[in-house]
Amino acid sequence: MDTRYDPKTVEQRWYDTWDQRGYFKPRESLTGKTFTISMPPPNITGDLHMGHAMYTLQDVLIRWHRMLGDTALWVPGTDHAAIATQNVLEKQLAKKGSSKEAIGREAWDRMVQEWYDTTGHTILQQMRRLGFSADWSRIRFTMDPTYVEAIRYVFVQLWKEGLIYRGPRIVNWCPRDQSAISDLEVQYEEEDGHLYYLDYPVEGGGVISVATARPETMVGDTAVAVHPDDWRYKDLIGKSVVLPIVHRRVPIVADEAVDQEFGTGAVKVTPGHDTTDYEIGERHHLPILSILSLDGRMNIPEVPQLHGLKVPEARDRIVEMLRAEGALQKIEPYRHSVGHCDRCGAVIEPIVSAQWWVRMKPLAGPAIAVAENDDLRFHPERWREQYLRWMRNIRDWNISRQLWLGHRIPVWTCANGHAVAYLKDPKECEQCGNRELTQDPDVLDTWFSSSLWPFVTLGWPADTDDLRRYYPTQVLDTARDILYLWVARMVFMSLHFLNTVPFSDVLIHGTVLAPDGRRMSKSLGTGVDPLDMIEQYGADATRAWTAYFGTGGQDIRFSEEKIESYRRFANKLWNATRLLVGKLPEGAAPIPIDESALEPADLWILGRLSAVTRSVTASFERMEFGPAIDGLFDFAWKEVADDYLELIKPRLQAGDASTVTALSVAIHVLETILRLLHPIMPFVTEELWQRLPHEGETIMYAPWPLPDETIEDRELMDDMAHLLDVVRAVRNVRQSSDTKSRQQPAEATSQRALLSEPVGRRYLATLAQLELNGKLPEGMPQSVVVVGQTTVRLGLPADGAPDAQRLKGELEKKLREIELIQEKLNNPEFTSRAPAAVVERERARLAQAQKAADRLRGLLGETGKLG
RNA sequence: GGGCGGUUAGCUCAGUUGGUAGAGCGUCUGCCUUACACGCAGAAUGUCGGGAGUUCGAGCCUCUCACCGCCCACCA
């Protein structure tokens, strides 16, 4: 073995081997249980980013359950991502000076198909670099023919049930994509703007002032609204105003939606271009005027000066016109939030348009119930409230998009006006037999198809074996930003069509931020490519990083140092293995542990191993991997490598029965650590596991370790901890004085069981590099170390520095400690109210401290010996 | 406007039921000790955001204020 671990070759080799041997496919269950995760399908056009690296958490769970003996299945696939893909292809066409309109729908569809075929599943290929053990033979794509059929089935079914309807409503319109988008796809951002105060002349005299951030929409006003209780305007309600510029007469209405405090307390009402106004309009049966065409330009032939202008230009122009008419009272700076398209960033225009909607109230009911009764659980738990809040206030879902890419809405209208949803492309109208049919031009919201993902990927609506065996799934892991867009929708769709939750546990992992706390973004240059991290530090280190930070529920500032530390950790494990493998013949079988031959150190490390196994397993069960990787890192590095392996080195050299025992224990401990670590760091653990004596053909199928509580000896743990404290204290003194020769003569006395025995003294001698044979020669200058019930006298070289000063300092520290404890114990409130165990512990601490103080005093008395 | 999360060592973050504050990185010192210098050993470093309260005892519970971030809402 080389002195360094090189992840590159190892990772590639093992991934190919696992894949070829079919280890990622579900295998027969040893527990009778299945464990399934549906992988959130990345966009087919997307690049791998740190968000995808977070899918490591899913792989950790899958690998863990595989080791537990469950039939584990991770279903991968990709999403067609309508808007995103369309943007890519339109740019390609634009480069050639063409457009989708120019080539026509058929050619466009061919182009899309070709793109899908050539893009393939590149992003899933990249995921392999991270070691993901998904069953790649089951890759699904939301454009697969069977998937398309399933979507169609769902649409027709919902339509028949009256849960899908078409109707004009005010919608969020993206002028660039020329499509409606749902409320969830609008991103609001604070922007500096102006608040314009307009004077509208009231019929019969006087003016009423309204405040608006969008003066250009005044040409579409169909009313002015005031609050019904507003005394200022009481008399004006029911009267009319004449709009400047267009000279249209519109009523003054009273509506509760008006905020008396804001602006002038009177508001212009533009039902065609404002959500609130639209609702006011509904209540007062106001006409709706559309003043924008679908590309976001003004569309008002009556006012030629404005016609065809973009909104910002129209705004400037109309302000001039208003000023000219004396209708502009004032302009104030005003900061407000403006909606932008999630995908392309264009400013969203509310417009009235006929769209397809899903009636949400009936679907939300069951989805609320499952979260309330815990059939659906959230990790961290606080997301449950977020989910419920949204579900309880849900509004109908706009599922139609005016795009050229996506699943067409399967509704055909005949010449007689019969609109019907068809499972198969119809030849004639179902209702009248008319053969002149036209299909609705709209496509479905991408999230409509995504909402069916976990069950359609298993074959639904067909009654498949997969569906029966693997559905519902267990865990859904994702980022919080698609909790509503995706997670919530899967829940109500599954409940409606399969009468079950799609998964029992929702794991919301943290979002990776740039080191400065901003969002990671390619355009800002703050993005981090996981493939770069894999290249530099290995997939295992990258995975360990995501496992460490991913499940705490906190957002994560990217920190490369931590990944680096896990790379070193892999190297540490490699070298620990190297040490042990070097003592073994090639291809050695596992050495059975002879329990009768175990030394205290062996019992100690086995006890610690058991405790670590228990806590790691508990962390996994809570789906909190941070404490798991942290605990394993610490145990493997500090306790096993730094302490235990150092402790047994003399035995490993001895070449007798003690060598065999030490090796058997060390190998067992290391092999167990590898198994505990495997779900998080699969590559290095497989590589090292194969090099150590082992049973089985892959660590992927090795059993998950169980704790052995019978071996956890409390007193021994305490004694070992004490011994290590003594070691540190001796090393400290040796470093600060000149007592650095390799084997320092010393004598030790202790009231601790372990340190009173030769074996304990041997450990102390090994770790602190002491010559502990018998007594120090009479009169030899010495340095004394006192730790609790143990005293070590170090023989000093003639020029050694005296340490009375240090002992004095320690005595003072002890006295302060004694004082503090006594104060506590002298408080009758404490002794009477605190639990007996706590009081007892304080008493014991006091006794210990007093003994140590006595010993220090005694030593300080031996001034002669202390130089 | 409502809600949620955060504020702990120079930096990035842990801290399970309230009972003597931790890690990684960085810093300082000494070591090429035959698994690892991608290492070993030792050391330093915290009014746990401010204030008040509950309690024998608060990083942890309650209230309040400040700042940072996110989500939701019909923010003219």
Side-chain angles (χ1 to χ4, degrees), chain A residues 323-351:
Chain A
R323 188 175 282 136
E325 287 200 21
L328 180 70
Q329 188 191 102
K330 60 174 173 177
I331 304 175
E332 288 177 348
Y334 180 53
R335 195 167 170 78
H336 61 142
S337 65
V338 176
H340 295 262
C341 175
D342 204 7
R343 285 286 159 199
C344 74
V347 173
I348 292 302
E349 290 294 343
I351 68 161

PDB file of all heavy atoms in Angstrom, chain A residues 323-351:
ATOM      1  N   ARG A 323     -49.419  65.427 -16.566  1.00  0.00           N
ATOM      2  CA  ARG A 323     -48.937  66.727 -16.109  1.00  0.00           C
ATOM      3  C   ARG A 323     -49.521  67.815 -16.995  1.00  0.00           C
ATOM      4  O   ARG A 323     -49.974  68.852 -16.508  1.00  0.00           O
ATOM      5  CB  ARG A 323     -47.407  66.763 -16.132  1.00  0.00           C
ATOM      6  CG  ARG A 323     -46.825  68.007 -15.495  1.00  0.00           C
ATOM      7  CD  ARG A 323     -45.310  67.956 -15.436  1.00  0.00           C
ATOM      8  NE  ARG A 323     -44.817  67.110 -14.363  1.00  0.00           N
ATOM      9  CZ  ARG A 323     -43.809  66.232 -14.479  1.00  0.00           C
ATOM     10  NH1 ARG A 323     -43.215  66.070 -15.642  1.00  0.00           N
ATOM     11  NH2 ARG A 323     -43.418  65.513 -13.455  1.00  0.00           N
ATOM     12  N   ALA A 324     -49.536  67.553 -18.277  1.00  0.00           N
ATOM     13  CA  ALA A 324     -50.064  68.514 -19.232  1.00  0.00           C
ATOM     14  C   ALA A 324     -51.528  68.819 -18.951  1.00  0.00           C
ATOM     15  O   ALA A 324     -51.982  69.942 -19.123  1.00  0.00           O
ATOM     16  CB  ALA A 324     -49.898  67.984 -20.654  1.00  0.00           C
ATOM     17  N   GLU A 325     -52.240  67.797 -18.524  1.00  0.00           N
ATOM     18  CA  GLU A 325     -53.660  68.009 -18.228  1.00  0.00           C
ATOM     19  C   GLU A 325     -53.878  68.546 -16.823  1.00  0.00           C
ATOM     20  O   GLU A 325     -55.019  68.700 -16.390  1.00  0.00           O
ATOM     21  CB  GLU A 325     -54.447  66.700 -18.398  1.00  0.00           C
ATOM     22  CG  GLU A 325     -54.623  66.300 -19.851  1.00  0.00           C
ATOM     23  CD  GLU A 325     -55.766  65.333 -20.050  1.00  0.00           C
ATOM     24  OE1 GLU A 325     -56.671  65.264 -19.173  1.00  0.00           O
ATOM     25  OE2 GLU A 325     -55.762  64.635 -21.080  1.00  0.00           O
ATOM     26  N   GLY A 326     -52.791  68.715 -16.083  1.00  0.00           N
ATOM     27  CA  GLY A 326     -52.915  69.206 -14.720  1.00  0.00           C
ATOM     28  C   GLY A 326     -53.459  68.167 -13.760  1.00  0.00           C
ATOM     29  O   GLY A 326     -53.976  68.506 -12.698  1.00  0.00           O
ATOM     30  N   ALA A 327     -53.326  66.905 -14.153  1.00  0.00           N
ATOM     31  CA  ALA A 327     -53.891  65.846 -13.328  1.00  0.00           C
ATOM     32  C   ALA A 327     -52.835  65.185 -12.442  1.00  0.00           C
ATOM     33  O   ALA A 327     -53.146  64.296 -11.671  1.00  0.00           O
ATOM     34  CB  ALA A 327     -54.560  64.794 -14.219  1.00  0.00           C
ATOM     35  N   LEU A 328     -51.565  65.631 -12.595  1.00  0.00           N
ATOM     36  CA  LEU A 328     -50.511  65.029 -11.780  1.00  0.00           C
ATOM     37  C   LEU A 328     -50.250  65.932 -10.591  1.00  0.00           C
ATOM     38  O   LEU A 328     -49.784  67.052 -10.734  1.00  0.00           O
ATOM     39  CB  LEU A 328     -49.233  64.868 -12.606  1.00  0.00           C
ATOM     40  CG  LEU A 328     -48.068  64.242 -11.858  1.00  0.00           C
ATOM     41  CD1 LEU A 328     -48.342  62.760 -11.568  1.00  0.00           C
ATOM     42  CD2 LEU A 328     -46.780  64.396 -12.641  1.00  0.00           C
ATOM     43  N   GLN A 329     -50.566  65.444  -9.407  1.00  0.00           N
ATOM     44  CA  GLN A 329     -50.417  66.269  -8.227  1.00  0.00           C
ATOM     45  C   GLN A 329     -48.975  66.268  -7.726  1.00  0.00           C
ATOM     46  O   GLN A 329     -48.368  67.299  -7.524  1.00  0.00           O
ATOM     47  CB  GLN A 329     -51.353  65.750  -7.139  1.00  0.00           C
ATOM     48  CG  GLN A 329     -51.424  66.648  -5.927  1.00  0.00           C
ATOM     49  CD  GLN A 329     -52.141  65.953  -4.798  1.00  0.00           C
ATOM     50  OE1 GLN A 329     -51.508  65.452  -3.871  1.00  0.00           O
ATOM     51  NE2 GLN A 329     -53.472  65.895  -4.897  1.00  0.00           N
ATOM     52  N   LYS A 330     -48.416  65.062  -7.516  1.00  0.00           N
ATOM     53  CA  LYS A 330     -47.020  64.975  -7.054  1.00  0.00           C
ATOM     54  C   LYS A 330     -46.495  63.559  -7.265  1.00  0.00           C
ATOM     55  O   LYS A 330     -47.255  62.619  -7.516  1.00  0.00           O
ATOM     56  CB  LYS A 330     -46.925  65.351  -5.577  1.00  0.00           C
ATOM     57  CG  LYS A 330     -47.746  64.451  -4.673  1.00  0.00           C
ATOM     58  CD  LYS A 330     -47.518  64.772  -3.203  1.00  0.00           C
ATOM     59  CE  LYS A 330     -48.492  63.977  -2.333  1.00  0.00           C
ATOM     60  NZ  LYS A 330     -48.298  64.170  -0.906  1.00  0.00           N
ATOM     61  N   ILE A 331     -45.161  63.437  -7.136  1.00  0.00           N
ATOM     62  CA  ILE A 331     -44.506  62.135  -7.244  1.00  0.00           C
ATOM     63  C   ILE A 331     -43.610  61.956  -6.020  1.00  0.00           C
ATOM     64  O   ILE A 331     -42.838  62.861  -5.697  1.00  0.00           O
ATOM     65  CB  ILE A 331     -43.643  62.036  -8.525  1.00  0.00           C
ATOM     66  CG1 ILE A 331     -44.494  62.320  -9.772  1.00  0.00           C
ATOM     67  CG2 ILE A 331     -42.995  60.666  -8.625  1.00  0.00           C
ATOM     68  CD1 ILE A 331     -43.678  62.364 -11.061  1.00  0.00           C
ATOM     69  N   GLU A 332     -43.758  60.847  -5.362  1.00  0.00           N
ATOM     70  CA  GLU A 332     -42.908  60.568  -4.197  1.00  0.00           C
ATOM     71  C   GLU A 332     -42.073  59.322  -4.470  1.00  0.00           C
ATOM     72  O   GLU A 332     -42.528  58.419  -5.153  1.00  0.00           O
ATOM     73  CB  GLU A 332     -43.786  60.267  -2.971  1.00  0.00           C
ATOM     74  CG  GLU A 332     -44.499  61.475  -2.408  1.00  0.00           C
ATOM     75  CD  GLU A 332     -45.408  61.107  -1.242  1.00  0.00           C
ATOM     76  OE1 GLU A 332     -45.649  59.895  -1.041  1.00  0.00           O
ATOM     77  OE2 GLU A 332     -45.857  62.031  -0.550  1.00  0.00           O
ATOM     78  N   PRO A 333     -40.874  59.288  -3.909  1.00  0.00           N
ATOM     79  CA  PRO A 333     -40.105  58.040  -4.022  1.00  0.00           C
ATOM     80  C   PRO A 333     -40.835  56.941  -3.245  1.00  0.00           C
ATOM     81  O   PRO A 333     -41.433  57.207  -2.196  1.00  0.00           O
ATOM     82  CB  PRO A 333     -38.761  58.372  -3.371  1.00  0.00           C
ATOM     83  CG  PRO A 333     -38.865  59.745  -2.819  1.00  0.00           C
ATOM     84  CD  PRO A 333     -40.205  60.303  -3.117  1.00  0.00           C
ATOM     85  N   TYR A 334     -40.775  55.750  -3.760  1.00  0.00           N
ATOM     86  CA  TYR A 334     -41.541  54.683  -3.137  1.00  0.00           C
ATOM     87  C   TYR A 334     -40.854  53.346  -3.378  1.00  0.00           C
ATOM     88  O   TYR A 334     -40.518  53.008  -4.514  1.00  0.00           O
ATOM     89  CB  TYR A 334     -42.955  54.670  -3.746  1.00  0.00           C
ATOM     90  CG  TYR A 334     -43.870  53.604  -3.179  1.00  0.00           C
ATOM     91  CD1 TYR A 334     -44.063  53.497  -1.811  1.00  0.00           C
ATOM     92  CD2 TYR A 334     -44.536  52.718  -4.022  1.00  0.00           C
ATOM     93  CE1 TYR A 334     -44.909  52.532  -1.295  1.00  0.00           C
ATOM     94  CE2 TYR A 334     -45.384  51.749  -3.512  1.00  0.00           C
ATOM     95  CZ  TYR A 334     -45.571  51.663  -2.144  1.00  0.00           C
ATOM     96  OH  TYR A 334     -46.403  50.712  -1.637  1.00  0.00           O
ATOM     97  N   ARG A 335     -40.638  52.607  -2.287  1.00  0.00           N
ATOM     98  CA  ARG A 335     -39.997  51.301  -2.432  1.00  0.00           C
ATOM     99  C   ARG A 335     -41.069  50.223  -2.290  1.00  0.00           C
ATOM    100  O   ARG A 335     -41.808  50.182  -1.317  1.00  0.00           O
ATOM    101  CB  ARG A 335     -38.935  51.140  -1.341  1.00  0.00           C
ATOM    102  CG  ARG A 335     -37.986  49.998  -1.625  1.00  0.00           C
ATOM    103  CD  ARG A 335     -36.765  50.051  -0.709  1.00  0.00           C
ATOM    104  NE  ARG A 335     -35.994  48.818  -0.855  1.00  0.00           N
ATOM    105  CZ  ARG A 335     -35.190  48.575  -1.883  1.00  0.00           C
ATOM    106  NH1 ARG A 335     -35.047  49.467  -2.835  1.00  0.00           N
ATOM    107  NH2 ARG A 335     -34.530  47.424  -1.956  1.00  0.00           N
ATOM    108  N   HIS A 336     -41.159  49.406  -3.280  1.00  0.00           N
ATOM    109  CA  HIS A 336     -42.181  48.345  -3.220  1.00  0.00           C
ATOM    110  C   HIS A 336     -41.655  47.101  -3.921  1.00  0.00           C
ATOM    111  O   HIS A 336     -40.610  47.130  -4.577  1.00  0.00           O
ATOM    112  CB  HIS A 336     -43.476  48.841  -3.875  1.00  0.00           C
ATOM    113  CG  HIS A 336     -43.332  49.192  -5.319  1.00  0.00           C
ATOM    114  ND1 HIS A 336     -44.303  48.931  -6.229  1.00  0.00           N
ATOM    115  CD2 HIS A 336     -42.308  49.770  -6.000  1.00  0.00           C
ATOM    116  CE1 HIS A 336     -43.879  49.336  -7.426  1.00  0.00           C
ATOM    117  NE2 HIS A 336     -42.684  49.856  -7.305  1.00  0.00           N
ATOM    118  N   SER A 337     -42.353  46.000  -3.767  1.00  0.00           N
ATOM    119  CA  SER A 337     -41.846  44.783  -4.384  1.00  0.00           C
ATOM    120  C   SER A 337     -42.534  44.531  -5.717  1.00  0.00           C
ATOM    121  O   SER A 337     -43.717  44.782  -5.888  1.00  0.00           O
ATOM    122  CB  SER A 337     -42.011  43.592  -3.442  1.00  0.00           C
ATOM    123  OG  SER A 337     -43.360  43.325  -3.224  1.00  0.00           O
ATOM    124  N   VAL A 338     -41.727  44.067  -6.630  1.00  0.00           N
ATOM    125  CA  VAL A 338     -42.173  43.854  -7.999  1.00  0.00           C
ATOM    126  C   VAL A 338     -41.993  42.379  -8.331  1.00  0.00           C
ATOM    127  O   VAL A 338     -40.961  41.782  -8.010  1.00  0.00           O
ATOM    128  CB  VAL A 338     -41.339  44.721  -8.970  1.00  0.00           C
ATOM    129  CG1 VAL A 338     -41.734  44.447 -10.416  1.00  0.00           C
ATOM    130  CG2 VAL A 338     -41.497  46.197  -8.630  1.00  0.00           C
ATOM    131  N   GLY A 339     -43.005  41.783  -8.947  1.00  0.00           N
ATOM    132  CA  GLY A 339     -42.939  40.356  -9.281  1.00  0.00           C
ATOM    133  C   GLY A 339     -42.134  40.097 -10.534  1.00  0.00           C
ATOM    134  O   GLY A 339     -42.252  40.815 -11.520  1.00  0.00           O
ATOM    135  N   HIS A 340     -41.277  39.081 -10.458  1.00  0.00           N
ATOM    136  CA  HIS A 340     -40.490  38.689 -11.618  1.00  0.00           C
ATOM    137  C   HIS A 340     -40.724  37.217 -11.932  1.00  0.00           C
ATOM    138  O   HIS A 340     -41.039  36.424 -11.048  1.00  0.00           O
ATOM    139  CB  HIS A 340     -38.987  38.890 -11.356  1.00  0.00           C
ATOM    140  CG  HIS A 340     -38.611  40.316 -11.163  1.00  0.00           C
ATOM    141  ND1 HIS A 340     -38.100  41.091 -12.157  1.00  0.00           N
ATOM    142  CD2 HIS A 340     -38.706  41.116 -10.071  1.00  0.00           C
ATOM    143  CE1 HIS A 340     -37.869  42.309 -11.703  1.00  0.00           C
ATOM    144  NE2 HIS A 340     -38.230  42.351 -10.427  1.00  0.00           N
ATOM    145  N   CYS A 341     -40.507  36.887 -13.188  1.00  0.00           N
ATOM    146  CA  CYS A 341     -40.628  35.486 -13.602  1.00  0.00           C
ATOM    147  C   CYS A 341     -39.467  34.689 -13.017  1.00  0.00           C
ATOM    148  O   CYS A 341     -38.301  35.050 -13.172  1.00  0.00           O
ATOM    149  CB  CYS A 341     -40.629  35.394 -15.128  1.00  0.00           C
ATOM    150  SG  CYS A 341     -40.644  33.709 -15.733  1.00  0.00           S
ATOM    151  N   ASP A 342     -39.825  33.623 -12.334  1.00  0.00           N
ATOM    152  CA  ASP A 342     -38.909  32.693 -11.723  1.00  0.00           C
ATOM    153  C   ASP A 342     -37.811  32.250 -12.695  1.00  0.00           C
ATOM    154  O   ASP A 342     -36.650  32.104 -12.336  1.00  0.00           O
ATOM    155  CB  ASP A 342     -39.757  31.471 -11.355  1.00  0.00           C
ATOM    156  CG  ASP A 342     -39.150  30.685 -10.257  1.00  0.00           C
ATOM    157  OD1 ASP A 342     -38.159  31.148  -9.710  1.00  0.00           O
ATOM    158  OD2 ASP A 342     -39.679  29.609  -9.955  1.00  0.00           O
ATOM    159  N   ARG A 343     -38.194  32.040 -13.934  1.00  0.00           N
ATOM    160  CA  ARG A 343     -37.299  31.439 -14.921  1.00  0.00           C
ATOM    161  C   ARG A 343     -36.466  32.466 -15.658  1.00  0.00           C
ATOM    162  O   ARG A 343     -35.278  32.317 -15.837  1.00  0.00           O
ATOM    163  CB  ARG A 343     -38.102  30.634 -15.937  1.00  0.00           C
ATOM    164  CG  ARG A 343     -38.595  29.327 -15.402  1.00  0.00           C
ATOM    165  CD  ARG A 343     -37.459  28.341 -15.301  1.00  0.00           C
ATOM    166  NE  ARG A 343     -37.811  27.285 -14.357  1.00  0.00           N
ATOM    167  CZ  ARG A 343     -36.914  26.488 -13.791  1.00  0.00           C
ATOM    168  NH1 ARG A 343     -35.643  26.626 -14.053  1.00  0.00           N
ATOM    169  NH2 ARG A 343     -37.311  25.559 -12.952  1.00  0.00           N
ATOM    170  N   CYS A 344     -37.147  33.530 -16.164  1.00  0.00           N
ATOM    171  CA  CYS A 344     -36.430  34.428 -17.067  1.00  0.00           C
ATOM    172  C   CYS A 344     -36.214  35.804 -16.456  1.00  0.00           C
ATOM    173  O   CYS A 344     -35.501  36.621 -17.017  1.00  0.00           O
ATOM    174  CB  CYS A 344     -37.164  34.549 -18.399  1.00  0.00           C
ATOM    175  SG  CYS A 344     -38.649  35.547 -18.323  1.00  0.00           S
ATOM    176  N   GLY A 345     -36.821  36.080 -15.316  1.00  0.00           N
ATOM    177  CA  GLY A 345     -36.554  37.346 -14.641  1.00  0.00           C
ATOM    178  C   GLY A 345     -37.378  38.526 -15.129  1.00  0.00           C
ATOM    179  O   GLY A 345     -37.298  39.608 -14.561  1.00  0.00           O
ATOM    180  N   ALA A 346     -38.154  38.334 -16.181  1.00  0.00           N
ATOM    181  CA  ALA A 346     -38.955  39.440 -16.709  1.00  0.00           C
ATOM    182  C   ALA A 346     -39.989  39.886 -15.678  1.00  0.00           C
ATOM    183  O   ALA A 346     -40.427  39.096 -14.845  1.00  0.00           O
ATOM    184  CB  ALA A 346     -39.657  39.008 -17.992  1.00  0.00           C
ATOM    185  N   VAL A 347     -40.353  41.163 -15.739  1.00  0.00           N
ATOM    186  CA  VAL A 347     -41.370  41.668 -14.819  1.00  0.00           C
ATOM    187  C   VAL A 347     -42.726  41.074 -15.188  1.00  0.00           C
ATOM    188  O   VAL A 347     -43.129  41.084 -16.345  1.00  0.00           O
ATOM    189  CB  VAL A 347     -41.443  43.211 -14.875  1.00  0.00           C
ATOM    190  CG1 VAL A 347     -42.621  43.724 -14.054  1.00  0.00           C
ATOM    191  CG2 VAL A 347     -40.136  43.817 -14.368  1.00  0.00           C
ATOM    192  N   ILE A 348     -43.390  40.532 -14.196  1.00  0.00           N
ATOM    193  CA  ILE A 348     -44.675  39.878 -14.406  1.00  0.00           C
ATOM    194  C   ILE A 348     -45.785  40.917 -14.552  1.00  0.00           C
ATOM    195  O   ILE A 348     -45.832  41.880 -13.795  1.00  0.00           O
ATOM    196  CB  ILE A 348     -44.988  38.958 -13.211  1.00  0.00           C
ATOM    197  CG1 ILE A 348     -44.025  37.787 -13.182  1.00  0.00           C
ATOM    198  CG2 ILE A 348     -46.431  38.470 -13.249  1.00  0.00           C
ATOM    199  CD1 ILE A 348     -44.024  36.942 -14.422  1.00  0.00           C
ATOM    200  N   GLU A 349     -46.640  40.724 -15.523  1.00  0.00           N
ATOM    201  CA  GLU A 349     -47.812  41.579 -15.683  1.00  0.00           C
ATOM    202  C   GLU A 349     -49.055  40.776 -15.329  1.00  0.00           C
ATOM    203  O   GLU A 349     -49.289  39.727 -15.932  1.00  0.00           O
ATOM    204  CB  GLU A 349     -47.931  42.048 -17.140  1.00  0.00           C
ATOM    205  CG  GLU A 349     -46.866  43.036 -17.568  1.00  0.00           C
ATOM    206  CD  GLU A 349     -46.971  44.366 -16.831  1.00  0.00           C
ATOM    207  OE1 GLU A 349     -48.026  44.649 -16.245  1.00  0.00           O
ATOM    208  OE2 GLU A 349     -45.976  45.122 -16.840  1.00  0.00           O
ATOM    209  N   PRO A 350     -49.825  41.254 -14.373  1.00  0.00           N
ATOM    210  CA  PRO A 350     -51.105  40.588 -14.156  1.00  0.00           C
ATOM    211  C   PRO A 350     -52.007  40.908 -15.332  1.00  0.00           C
ATOM    212  O   PRO A 350     -52.180  42.075 -15.684  1.00  0.00           O
ATOM    213  CB  PRO A 350     -51.637  41.234 -12.871  1.00  0.00           C
ATOM    214  CG  PRO A 350     -50.487  41.986 -12.279  1.00  0.00           C
ATOM    215  CD  PRO A 350     -49.607  42.354 -13.430  1.00  0.00           C
ATOM    216  N   ILE A 351     -52.520  39.889 -15.997  1.00  0.00           N
ATOM    217  CA  ILE A 351     -53.482  40.118 -17.064  1.00  0.00           C
ATOM    218  C   ILE A 351     -54.632  39.125 -16.913  1.00  0.00           C
ATOM    219  O   ILE A 351     -54.500  38.128 -16.200  1.00  0.00           O
ATOM    220  CB  ILE A 351     -52.870  39.976 -18.476  1.00  0.00           C
ATOM    221  CG1 ILE A 351     -52.491  38.512 -18.740  1.00  0.00           C
ATOM    222  CG2 ILE A 351     -51.684  40.895 -18.677  1.00  0.00           C
ATOM    223  CD1 ILE A 351     -52.332  38.225 -20.222  1.00  0.00           C
TER     224      ILE A 351
END
